Amino acid sequence: MSDTRPLVAVTMGDPAGIGSEVVVAAYRELLDAARPLVVGDADVIRAAVDVVDSDLAVASVASVDGASFDRDAIPVLDLGNVDDIEYGVVREAYGAASLEYVERAIDLAISGAVDAITTAPINKQATRLAGSQHAGHTGLLAARTDTDDYSMMLVEDDLRVTHVSTHVPLREACDRVTEDAVLSTVEVTDRALREMGVANPEIAVAGLNPHASDGGLLGETEADEIRPAVERAEAAGIDADGPKSPDTVYVQAASGDYDCVVSMYHDQGHIPIKMLGFSGGDAVSGVNVTIGLPIVRTSVDHGTAFDIAGDGVASEASLVDAVELAADIARRRTETTNGPRGTEAGR
């Protein structure tokens, strides 16, 4: 009998960060929703087993076909690209290794060898030292999948947000709020919500300026760029509303009035999400989804946490949420085509 759980490639992240230990800590819980295959370095995962005091064995595999998924051993597609482990440090070699994990996972998803990918955190300083021109995962994913229209969606309980721009200086972010950019983000948001099972998405579009410019008293971007984009989205049959005052719209969305808020820049969307996801003590929740891609990609909503890496105290909650959401989206995609793929088919 085939196993219909989606196969999710889970990248290990920066070897100096908490990625490896949260992957190990989460592994058994991930098995309920998915077949999680770690893409990383087997020796780093073995060290993480000791860090979190786990009884898991590590099964090093050379290909997806060689992986098995049970409660006793964590399968690792071993790229063998880490010579030594020193937690909490920025190294060019670690940046190069973490990029290789992501690139391999993307290629596996493009080829159909895996159903989705979930990424543990990388360190942007390390990847920049390694020669990456991208500020993080999102740009790399878009470039490697040849995708032009995409966005970052953050999910925390009932609140979802997407972004017109992310990792750019604030002055540049303001310049990126154009009618076409806002419309593109609304469109990919609508498609992504439908993939997540929201039949009739209701999307709020935040303003850029305080109080959404207060009728033009505080700026012209809302009238010149955002409102025309909303009108075009409405004409195309999308239930979009805005521009909405940024200081209240996230509360409205979290209360159920909207299915997602299109945010104009990074912190506008991230702050409300992290206020919810980081407020429960040591457990950090929340999921990052790259929408608009031809593949399914989710990620944890936290960084490498160099200050606690190697201590065995990092929370795996966000990774569990991310893999579960990746599996759910992948399942919905495959059920609309040929049905879920099992271990006996599609490899």
Side-chain angles (χ1 to χ4, degrees), residues 14-15 91-100 122-123 126-128 130:
D14 191 294
R91 284 189 183 176
E92 178 182 338
Y94 291 165
S98 60
L99 288 171
E100 191 175 349
I122 59 177
N123 181 278
T127 56
R128 188 57 60 91

Side-chain angles (χ1 to χ4, degrees), residues 35-292:
R35 289 172 286 151
L37 173 64
V38 180
V39 181
D41 184 284
D43 286 339
V44 177
I45 296 296
R46 290 187 183 98
V49 168
D50 292 336
V51 166
V52 302
D53 195 25
S54 170
D55 61 354
L56 281 170
V58 177
S60 177
V61 300
S63 68
V64 174
D65 290 332
S68 60
F69 305 91
D70 57 56
R71 298 184 62 82
D72 298 321
I74 182 169
V76 180
L77 184 61
D78 186 13
L79 303 194
N81 55 5
V82 179
D83 292 330
D84 63 276
I85 307 165
E86 185 179 357
Y87 296 113
V89 298
V90 175
R91 284 189 183 176
E92 178 182 338
Y94 291 165
S98 60
L99 288 171
E100 191 175 349
Y101 308 145
V102 179
E103 291 166 352
R104 178 67 65 88
I106 293 170
D107 293 345
L108 289 171
I110 291 172
S111 71
V114 301
D115 299 299
I117 68 175
T118 295
T119 56
I122 59 177
N123 181 278
K124 297 178 182 64
Q125 290 178 284
T127 56
R128 188 57 60 91
L129 287 173
S132 176
Q133 299 303 305
H134 303 289
H137 282 103
T138 306
L140 172 59
L141 284 151
R144 204 165 182 89
T145 59
D146 195 25
T147 302
D148 293 324
D149 296 323
Y150 59 93
S151 181
M152 175 191 294
M153 175 184 283
L154 301 181
V155 181
E156 173 59 43
D157 291 333
D158 294 328
L159 179 61
R160 304 180 187 92
V161 304
T162 54
H163 301 74
V164 172
S165 69
T166 52
H167 297 120
V168 297
L170 185 55
R171 291 184 185 277
E172 182 180 339
C174 294
D175 292 337
R176 291 196 183 197
V177 180
T178 65
E179 180 180 333
D180 286 345
V182 173
L183 177 62
S184 173
T185 307
V186 172
E187 290 172 336
V188 297
T189 298
D190 182 71
R191 291 196 297 270
L193 290 169
R194 294 178 189 276
E195 280 195 338
M196 293 177 181
V198 181
N200 299 295
E202 298 179 66
I203 300 170
V205 181
L208 173 67
N209 294 296
H211 305 293
S213 86
D214 210 0
L217 295 175
L218 303 175
E220 300 175 349
T221 304
E222 283 72 16
D224 293 347
E225 307 292 345
I226 301 175
R227 183 59 199 164
V230 171
E231 291 174 348
R232 287 170 64 188
E234 291 173 325
I238 297 173
D239 189 350
D241 186 14
K244 304 290 291 182
S245 181
D247 62 355
T248 57
V249 70
Y250 296 96
V251 176
Q252 294 171 330
S255 300
D257 291 348
Y258 299 101
D259 296 300
C260 188
V261 180
V262 173
S263 308
M264 294 301 110
Y265 56 92
H266 181 280
D267 283 13
Q268 189 185 64
H270 276 63
I271 289 172
I273 286 285
K274 292 191 174 182
M275 282 289 291
L276 293 177
F278 286 32
S279 62
D282 293 333
V284 176
S285 58
V287 180
N288 178 343
V289 188
T290 307
I291 61 174

